[in-house]
Amino acid sequence: RGAMVLDGTGWQREVALGVASSLGWGVVYEGARRVMKHCGKGEKSGEWACRTVCVGHAITACVLSLIDNLYYGPLAYYAIGSPNTWLQTVAVQASLGYFCFDLVWCTLTGGETLTVLLHHVVSIAVCATTLVLGASGAEVVGTLFGAEVSNPLLQLRWFMVDAGMKGTPAHRRTEIAFGIVFLVCRLVWAPTLLVATLRSARAHSIIKLGAVGMQLVSVVWSYFVWRKLMRVLRGQSSASWGKHE
């Protein structure tokens, strides 16, 4: 699997590259913002651009996770606590940079809840710890798939609302699809990887603590997603899902 063995200063380089990747996401954001402004989005150009970056990161994280688990293998369950492969390192660095970028964006623009900010802080800590340890990339990359796979549907729902499609059959189906995918990933699949991580003798205690923290945040979000999903299924007007799960 091409495992990486980092020397005494290797982890510093890997973390620095991860943080530096936030600049890359920033460049994508600025490019998207200019395109959206040119398309007439006006004051919403920044919001459209940030959500576009969200989708870009979600797709990147999911594709890299699928390649790591299904092509290179083995599945994350059987490699918990193992040394990071080059692909896992790249995936974690990309996500570390994204979460740094989005934390700054959320802080500067406001409007996000404390839970979202806490989620980002925990995500940054877990990604950085994985790079410092040079291990546990398998379970972190696996977790990223479950955390991000529903994100494109969440952003698509917002894009449709802003485009005046709220209440249409397509919009309603998107809301239902997001709610189902989110709940299945966060409450059915994610706990299985959490249990495997907690039972592993190789996973570092910091990784285990971060995994528990992420699951707690997921449970809180799942409660609100469930309530809103029930409203949609009953045909009631839905409230905002927010920018993040």
Side-chain angles (χ1 to χ4, degrees):
R1 287 171 54 84
M4 298 183 63
V5 179
L6 303 181
D7 55 32
T9 59
W11 68 267
Q12 299 173 358
R13 179 182 65 253
E14 303 303 336
V15 173
L17 288 173
V19 175
S21 71
S22 62
L23 299 178
W25 291 114
V27 170
V28 174
Y29 166 79
E30 180 58 23
R33 189 189 67 80
R34 295 191 179 194
V35 171
M36 298 304 173
K37 188 173 183 179
H38 180 74
C39 293
K41 297 303 178 183
E43 295 182 354
K44 290 188 176 181
S45 297
E47 183 77 7
W48 271 79
C50 189
R51 290 178 181 274
T52 300
V53 173
C54 286
V55 173
H57 168 255
I59 293 175
T60 299
C62 289
V63 169
L64 293 179
S65 181
L66 287 174
I67 294 174
D68 180 61
N69 281 270
L70 301 182
Y71 180 76
Y72 287 108
L75 295 177
Y77 294 98
Y78 307 109
I80 293 175
S82 298
N84 298 340
T85 67
W86 69 269
L87 182 59
Q88 291 166 358
T89 298
V90 170
V92 173
Q93 286 173 332
S95 289
L96 174 59
Y98 166 75
F99 287 122
C100 287
F101 158 79
D102 204 46
L103 178 62
V104 172
W105 191 89
C106 291
T107 301
L108 293 178
T109 59
E112 290 296 349
T113 64
L114 180 61
T115 306
V116 170
L117 299 180
L118 177 61
H119 165 269
H120 280 31
V121 171
V122 173
S123 298
I124 290 171
V126 170
C127 288
T129 299
T130 301
L131 295 176
V132 170
L133 295 174
S136 287
E139 58 266 38
V140 171
V141 171
T143 299
L144 285 170
F145 177 87
E148 297 296 330
V149 70
S150 61
N151 195 285
L153 289 170
L154 176 64
Q155 308 312 328
L156 176 60
R157 176 220 177 256
W158 187 90
F159 292 145
M160 296 174 75
V161 170
D162 197 64
M165 298 178 64
K166 183 176 181 179
T168 63
H171 172 252
R172 184 171 182 271
R173 285 193 291 268
T174 300
E175 288 192 310
I176 294 173
F178 163 72
I180 292 175
V181 173
F182 183 95
L183 293 172
V184 169
C185 287
R186 300 297 183 116
L187 297 182
V188 179
W189 176 76
T192 65
L193 186 56
L194 171 62
V195 171
T197 301
L198 294 178
R199 295 180 61 182
S200 172
R202 292 184 299 181
H204 196 281
S205 58
I206 297 180
I207 296 296
K208 294 181 179 181
L209 182 62
V212 172
M214 293 295 290
Q215 187 60 50
L216 290 176
V217 172
S218 292
V219 170
V220 172
W221 279 342
S222 295
Y223 168 73
F224 293 107
V225 169
W226 171 261
R227 290 183 58 186
K228 292 173 183 178
L229 178 60
M230 291 301 100
R231 292 183 61 185
V232 173
L233 292 175
R234 288 194 295 264
Q236 299 176 3
S237 177
S238 59
S240 173
W241 296 88
K243 182 161 72 69
H244 305 280
E245 290 97 330

